[in-house]
Amino acid sequence: MSANRESVTIPIFPCRSIDEQLEFYQALGFELTYRQAKPNLYACVRHRIVELHFFVWKQLDPSNSYSMCYVHVRDVDAVHKEFCENLKNAYGKVPSRGFPRITKPNNLVEDRRFNLIDPAGNRLLIGQKHASAAPVQTEQTVMVQPSRFANAFETAYRLAYAKDEPAEAAKVLDLVFSKAEEASASLRYKAYVLRADIAASMDEINHALVLMQEAEQLSLSGQEREEVVEATKRLVELKGAFGRGHS
């Protein structure tokens, strides 16, 4: 196929209120390009990364919405920073719970992405493919069977950050924490930070603080510290959010 695309796909999302949708997307930095009052309410917004259309469905329950689309961008961190700055300027804070909300960028196997959930529960998965593919395994590659704990961590990570299902992610991790001793210190560190982040997203602040303390009490070697750089950044962010400062 040619690299030059001949068409553009435009998602058409439901919403409970056109005004509510437009207020949010314009706060993000989208431009209103069209609004229709009759015969039915309809509106269009556009940003350099995507164009979106909205129609009204008054019975819509945001918590049960399955509407979503994936938006590929060249610099996911730049887009996330732009959106967060615009939201903070508009609302005085960056919404991270309820509707609307925006998650932090996270590295998955296939890409680095964040989720943007609007007031109607529609979900934009905004991501950037990794610069290089995963290393190709050779006959000399030593294959290690992942432990139950490692598998649970990977599953919980995807549930929390790719699917934005913190409650399900919490269940997966909580089932295997009794097996934590079978995992490396670096994996346990990442699991405690992930679970703390999940607890924070569900307003379980005391639980989050306990999990953060568990992570901080682990003794890590220099090599292990290099393996948990991303998790350490998240831990620092959590400590800042709870007013504990930096260690």
Side-chain angles (χ1 to χ4, degrees):
M1 292 180 64
S2 169
N4 297 320
R5 299 180 180 178
E6 296 182 357
S7 63
V8 175
T9 300
I10 301 174
I12 302 177
F13 284 147
C15 65
R16 295 177 300 180
S17 165
I18 288 290
D19 289 336
E20 185 178 40
Q21 287 295 98
L22 294 182
E23 177 186 347
F24 174 68
Y25 280 97
Q26 287 179 295
L28 281 169
F30 280 70
E31 172 192 4
L32 173 63
T33 59
Y34 177 75
R35 178 165 182 162
Q36 171 183 292
K38 295 180 180 180
N40 55 283
L41 293 173
Y42 196 88
C44 311
V45 296
R46 181 170 56 207
H47 187 274
R48 68 179 185 281
I49 67 168
V50 69
E51 180 175 344
L52 303 172
H53 292 196
F54 305 110
F55 67 95
V56 172
W57 180 20
K58 293 184 178 180
Q59 292 74 32
L60 177 67
D61 179 0
S63 62
N64 291 326
S65 174
Y66 293 97
S67 300
M68 66 178 68
C69 74
Y70 184 90
V71 183
H72 177 262
V73 297
R74 294 181 178 178
D75 189 338
V76 67
D77 290 286
V79 174
H80 183 266
K81 180 180 179 182
E82 175 191 345
F83 284 173
C84 286
E85 288 178 348
N86 288 343
L87 288 172
K88 191 169 184 178
N89 289 335
Y91 300 140
K93 65 177 182 178
V94 178
S96 59
R97 304 178 184 88
F99 302 94
R101 66 182 182 275
I102 184 171
T103 69
K104 298 180 182 297
N106 289 281
N107 289 315
L108 303 176
V109 173
E110 63 274 23
D111 64 6
R112 179 171 174 79
R113 74 171 69 169
F114 68 91
N115 296 339
L116 178 70
I117 300 90
D118 71 19
N122 303 307
R123 186 186 309 269
L124 300 183
L125 312 177
I126 302 174
Q128 174 186 357
K129 299 299 181 183
H130 295 304
S132 59
V136 178
Q137 293 180 345
T138 66
E139 292 181 0
Q140 288 74 34
T141 303
V142 177
M143 300 298 293
V144 179
Q145 185 68 26
S147 67
R148 180 185 176 191
F149 191 89
N151 285 330
F153 173 79
E154 294 298 333
T155 299
Y157 191 98
R158 178 166 288 276
L159 284 169
Y161 297 141
K163 297 188 176 182
D164 194 29
E165 296 180 1
E168 293 303 313
K171 290 178 184 177
V172 170
L173 272 184
D174 290 345
L175 284 173
V176 298
F177 267 130
S178 62
K179 304 285 186 180
E181 292 303 319
E182 73 181 32
S184 65
S186 59
L187 180 55
R188 278 181 280 158
Y189 181 95
K190 290 190 285 187
Y192 283 129
V193 174
L194 170 60
R195 187 62 182 87
D197 199 18
I198 293 168
S201 73
M202 297 191 295
D203 289 326
E204 298 172 352
I205 307 306
N206 289 336
H207 193 190
L209 291 173
V210 170
L211 291 158
M212 290 161 59
Q213 187 175 32
E214 291 280 2
E216 292 180 307
Q217 289 176 346
L218 288 172
S219 178
L220 301 178
S221 67
Q223 176 62 38
E224 288 171 331
R225 285 287 176 189
E226 293 180 6
E227 296 171 1
V228 299
V229 171
E230 195 72 24
T232 300
K233 291 179 181 177
R234 183 58 52 87
L235 180 58
V236 170
E237 291 173 351
L238 287 170
K239 291 168 67 177
F242 298 148
R244 295 184 60 200
H246 295 186
S247 61

